[in-house]
Structure formats: structure tokens, C-alpha cells
């Protein structure tokens, strides 16, 4: 078992501190909390074909749409390497079981969300199935930190847990991208990420395999990839899609290591390829970013309990684990895919329960997938209550 970098634990601490501060603040003085979070930081003057008139630049929007793009760039990088590189955990046939498990968990969460929403009147403004994107994502950071306590250091179930959680997180964001913007012509802006990726590959990345040392050295400069990432983010955001997705399109175009060392492997800190260097440049800023994300999105109104809270918990606690187990059964019984060595059925049950912890990505989804006000706050409370799964799993299943 490879060593996982310690920054994962630091990320969880930063997120928890930000959320705790926000929760205390919003319950003691909600007026001042929302005044600060929703205050307009500055005004951007741009034509309507670039940015809608009602766009507001606040601490919330800057954190969720711009800064969190670095976090999902890190997750996307790990998933890309696991899929494409030699010895990657998802390379070739090895990716079948985690992929089906992630698909099953997502489908189970959405199905239970829609079913329970139909049985319970969630809000007057709610339509059937509205908000189905919320329970798809989870919380890779918290799930791994708790999973390490549950399984023990070095257990082979930990890489599988990371793969499934990262897959669910990215699927949760991509589900938001399925919503067509109010002005469909804005989707033409998606040409920018495509052109940025092709351009940076042609002018920089392809020289990584050049014949001369000069060409190979030119491909190691980071500024072309940073510029391509900025152009890609502008295109995604201007298209009306979540800005947090903005850096993902350029990942395949960035030169990377020849083989994978594992999810968030500590050994990657010694690599000098542009993709790993860019990823590790984000580590220190991400601690502040995740604190800000907890501060801006993690404030829980303890009095917001409503039917949507029950819907959220049902999708996370029942839909996801059951869907994950269904996906694994299809992989192992129907398609005859083997379980990873050292992973058994009880381990899969633990993984399923850990995916039922929903916080980071669902909080991003709330703003777009649900109407604001009481319904969103009730769902936010449900996401916070899903953390109750942490002590339950630790007490019942912790490895002794």
C-alpha cells in the first residue's frame, strides 16, 4: 500500500473549522452573517452576451465558482491519472468495478431522492424531482479521513473508497452541467475550453516528447498551462455552467508522469512533470480555500428542519449505499469482475456508508439545483446531519 499525502487530513481540518465558524455565526447573528457573505465585492462591467446583468460578485460566488475550481482540478487530475496511466487504479479492466459502483451509488441516490420527494411535499415552489443533482456528490476528503480510521492504515479498501468518492464528486458536478442555461446560445462559449486545450497541446505539451532537450525543456514551463486553464475557466463560466468545472477540460492536454503512483500518493511530490507540479502548487492555497468554502457554504441553520431534510438524508444514507452495492453485484456476479485483493463484502458495506457522507460537492450543487430560501437551507441541514454517519461508522465498524 502506497503512502497517501498528509495534506488530505489538513484539508478536512480546514473545511471543518470554516463550517464550524459559519454555523456558530449564522445561528447567533444570521443578519450579519448573510450581510457579509452576500455583500457585493465589486462590479464587473461586461456586455450581456458575456455575463448576465444579475451576476453578483460576492465572497460566496468567488469561492464556489472560482477558487474551488482548484480543488476539482486536483480531484480531476487524480481520476485522469488513475484512468489513463500505467498501473493506474482505473486503467483497463481494473476500472470496471469502481466505475459500476460509482454509477450505482449515483443512480441509487437520485432514485431515492425522486421517490421520497414524490411522497413528501417538500416545498410549494418545488417541482417533481427538482434538486436530484444534490445527493450525487459526496465528500472525498472527509470520507478518506474517516475511512482511514475505520479500515486502518494501508488497507486495500482505501484506494477503492477514494476512487468511488472522486468519481461521485465529479459526477455530481457534471450533473449540474446538464442543466441548459437560460440562454442556450451561451453554450457556444464551450469552444474556448476546446481551443485552449488544443492550443496548449500544439504549442507546448507536444514538445514533451520532442527529439531535442530544448524542446523537452520548453514543455516543462508552467505558464502556458496556467494561461490555458484561465481561458478554459472563462469559457465554462461564460457558458453558464459551474465555474468549478472550468479547469477540468485542460487536464488531458498537460504533460504528466508515465505511470500512476496511487491516489494522492506522497511519492508524487518528487515528480517534476507539469501536471504534478501544478497540482502541488495548489496544496497550500487549498487549505485557505477549503476554509473559505466551509465559511461561505457550511453555515447550518439548526432551525431549518423541513421535509427536504428528510429527502436529503434518505438519498444519502439509503440510496447511495444500496445503489453502490447493486453496482458491485452487477460487476461481480453478472460481469464476473473480481473484487480487489483484501476487500470483502463487509468492507463494501463500510464504503457504502462512507459515501453517504455528503458535504462539499452537494453544497456546491445547492445554489443551482434547488430554489433558494427555506428549501435550500433544509437540504443544507440534511447534508450537515449526514455527518452523523461518522460516529456511527467509527463505533460500529472501526478496525481494532
Amino acid at each position: 500500500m502506497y503512502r497517501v499525502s498528509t495534506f488530505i487530513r489538513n484539508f478536512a481540518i480546514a473545511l471543518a473549522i470554516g463550517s464550524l465558524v459559519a454555523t456558530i455565526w449564522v445561528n447567533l447573528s444570521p443578519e450579519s452573517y448573510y450581510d457579509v457573505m452576500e455583500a457585493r465585492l465589486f462590479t464587473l462591467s461586461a456586455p450581456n452576451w458575456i455575463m448576465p446583468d444579475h451576476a453578483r460578485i460576492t465572497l460566496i460566488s468567488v469561492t464556489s465558482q472560482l477558487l474551488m475550481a482548484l480543488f476539482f482540478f486536483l480531484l480531476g487530475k487524480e481520476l485522469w491519472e488513475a484512468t489513463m496511466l500505467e498501473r493506474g487504479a482505473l486503467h483497463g479492466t481494473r476500472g470496471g468495478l469502481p466505475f459500476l459502483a460509482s454509477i450505482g451509488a449515483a443512480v441509487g441516490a437520485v432514485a431515492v431522492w425522486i421517490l421520497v420527494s414524490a411522497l413528501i411535499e417538500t416545498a410549494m415552489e418545488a417541482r417533481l424531482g427538482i434538486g436530484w443533482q444534490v445527493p450525487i456528490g459526496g465528500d472525498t476528503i472527509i470520507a478518506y479521513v474517516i475511512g482511514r480510521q475505520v479500515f486502518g492504515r494501508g488497507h486495500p479498501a482505501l484506494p477503492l473508497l477514494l476512487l468511488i468518492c472522486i468519481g461521485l464528486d465529479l459526477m455530481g458536478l457534471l450533473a449540474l452541467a446538464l442543466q441548459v442555461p437560460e440562454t442556450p446560445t451561451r453554450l457556444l462559449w464551450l469552444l474556448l475550453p476546446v481551443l485552449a486545450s488544443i492550443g496548449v497541446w500544439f504549442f507546448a505539451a507536444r514538445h514533451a516528447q520532442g527529439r531535442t532537450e530544448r524542446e523537452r525543456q520548453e514543455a516543462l514551463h508552467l505558464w502556458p498551462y496556467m494561461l490555458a486553464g484561465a481561458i478554459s475557466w472563462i469559457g465554462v463560466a461564460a457558458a453558464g455552467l459551474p465555474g468549478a468545472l472550468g479547469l477540468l477540460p485542460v487536464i488531458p492536454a498537460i504533460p504528466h508522469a508515465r505511470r500512476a503512483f496511487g491516489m494522492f500518493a506522497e511519492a508524487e511530490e518528487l515528480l517534476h512533470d507539469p501536471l504534478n507540479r501544478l497540482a502541488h502548487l495548489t496544496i497550500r492555497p487549498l487549505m485557505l480555500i477549503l476554509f473559505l468554502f466551509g465559511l461561505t457554504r457550511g453555515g447550518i441553520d439548526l432551525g431549518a428542519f423541513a421535509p427536504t431534510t428528510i429527502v436529503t438524508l434518505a438519498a444519502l444514507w439509503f440510496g447511495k449505499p444500496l445503489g453502490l452495492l447493486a453496482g458491485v453485484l452487477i460487476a461481480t456476479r453478472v460481469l464476473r469482475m473480481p473484487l480487489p485483493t483484501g476487500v470483502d463484502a463487509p468492507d463494501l458495506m463500510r464504503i457504502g456508508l462512507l459515501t453517504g457522507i455528503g458535504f462539499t460537492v452537494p453544497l456546491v450543487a445547492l445554489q443551482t439545483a434547488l430554489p433558494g430560501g427555506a428549501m435550500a437551507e433544509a437540504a443544507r441541514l440534511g447534508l450537515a446531519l449526514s455527518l452523523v454517519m461518522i460516529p456511527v461508522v467509527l463505533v460500529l465498524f472501526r478496525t481494532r
Side-chain angles (χ1 to χ4, degrees):
M1 173 64 181
Y2 61 89
R3 285 179 59 87
V4 174
S5 296
T6 57
F7 65 75
I8 297 294
R9 180 182 58 191
N10 297 333
F11 285 175
I13 293 172
L15 178 64
I17 293 175
S19 301
L20 179 62
V21 171
T23 298
I24 294 173
W25 189 354
V26 77
N27 284 278
L28 292 181
S29 180
E31 296 83 4
S32 64
Y33 175 80
Y34 289 112
D35 285 345
V36 172
M37 296 301 124
E38 298 176 0
R40 187 187 295 269
L41 298 179
F42 54 88
T43 302
L44 288 179
S45 299
N48 188 58
W49 58 274
I50 296 178
M51 178 183 298
D53 293 334
H54 62 270
R56 299 185 61 191
I57 309 302
T58 64
L59 184 60
I60 292 176
S61 61
V62 168
T63 302
S64 297
Q65 299 296 324
L66 176 60
L67 299 180
M68 284 298 285
L70 294 177
F71 177 69
F72 292 107
F73 170 80
L74 185 62
L75 295 186
K77 174 255 185 190
E78 294 295 334
L79 194 60
W80 170 256
E81 289 182 336
T83 304
M84 303 303 296
L85 301 190
E86 180 187 354
R87 294 178 60 183
L90 294 175
H91 186 69
T93 57
R94 290 192 293 269
L97 188 141
F99 176 75
L100 289 174
S102 300
I103 292 293
V107 171
V110 172
V112 171
W113 177 282
I114 295 174
L115 176 63
V116 179
S117 296
L119 297 175
I120 301 177
E121 183 180 355
T122 52
M124 292 182 62
E125 69 270 25
R127 304 184 304 273
L128 178 63
I130 189 172
W132 60 268
Q133 303 96 327
V134 172
I136 295 177
D139 201 302
T140 299
I141 303 303
I142 295 178
Y144 173 77
V145 171
I146 304 305
R148 189 171 175 178
Q149 299 297 318
V150 171
F151 293 109
R153 182 181 300 180
H155 196 285
L158 289 175
L160 181 61
L161 172 65
L162 276 174
L163 287 170
I164 293 173
C165 287
I166 291 176
L168 286 170
D169 282 353
L170 294 180
M171 279 193 284
L173 284 178
L174 293 174
L176 293 178
L178 296 177
Q179 291 183 318
V180 179
E182 296 177 2
T183 308
T185 55
R186 287 188 178 278
L187 293 177
L188 292 175
W189 280 99
L190 293 179
L191 290 174
L192 269 186
V194 176
L195 294 175
S197 301
I198 295 174
V200 77
W201 178 85
F202 183 81
F203 290 106
R206 70 187 181 98
H207 297 304
Q209 305 298 326
R211 296 181 178 179
T212 65
E213 182 63 24
R214 180 178 179 182
E215 285 183 318
R216 292 192 290 270
Q217 290 298 320
E218 287 178 353
L220 295 179
H221 295 306
L222 298 184
W223 69 265
Y225 311 112
M226 293 180 176
L227 178 60
I231 295 172
S232 175
W233 184 89
I234 291 172
V236 171
L241 303 181
L245 296 170
L247 300 181
L248 297 182
V250 300
I251 292 176
I254 303 175
H256 48 69
R258 293 187 178 182
R259 69 182 184 90
F261 289 83
M263 307 293 287
F264 301 112
E266 194 174 56
E268 292 179 345
E269 298 175 9
L270 304 176
L271 301 179
H272 300 289
D273 59 281
L275 185 57
N276 275 295
R277 287 163 58 202
L278 285 170
H280 283 87
L281 282 177
T282 66
I283 299 303
R284 291 184 182 276
L286 275 174
M287 294 182 190
L288 175 60
I289 291 170
L290 287 170
F291 169 79
L292 289 175
F293 181 77
L295 184 67
T296 56
R297 292 293 195 187
I300 309 301
D301 183 356
L302 300 179
F305 187 87
T308 307
T309 307
I310 300 174
V311 174
T312 304
L313 288 174
L316 292 174
W317 283 356
F318 297 100
K320 262 189 178 177
L322 293 176
L324 184 145
L325 293 176
V328 171
L329 284 175
I330 293 173
T332 56
R333 300 294 176 87
V334 179
L335 302 178
R336 301 297 181 183
M337 296 178 180
L339 287 174
T341 303
V343 177
D344 54 21
D347 293 333
L348 293 173
M349 183 174 64
R350 298 182 183 103
I351 291 175
L353 294 176
L354 289 171
T355 61
I357 300 171
F359 205 64
T360 305
V361 175
L363 286 176
V364 174
L366 281 182
Q367 188 75 12
T368 305
L370 287 174
M375 190 175 183
E377 291 306 315
R380 195 189 311 271
L381 177 60
L383 297 175
L385 291 176
S386 75
L387 299 178
V388 173
M389 185 62 71
I390 294 175
V392 172
V393 174
L394 287 175
V395 171
L396 296 181
F397 301 109
R398 183 171 182 175
T399 301
R400 291 176 174 84

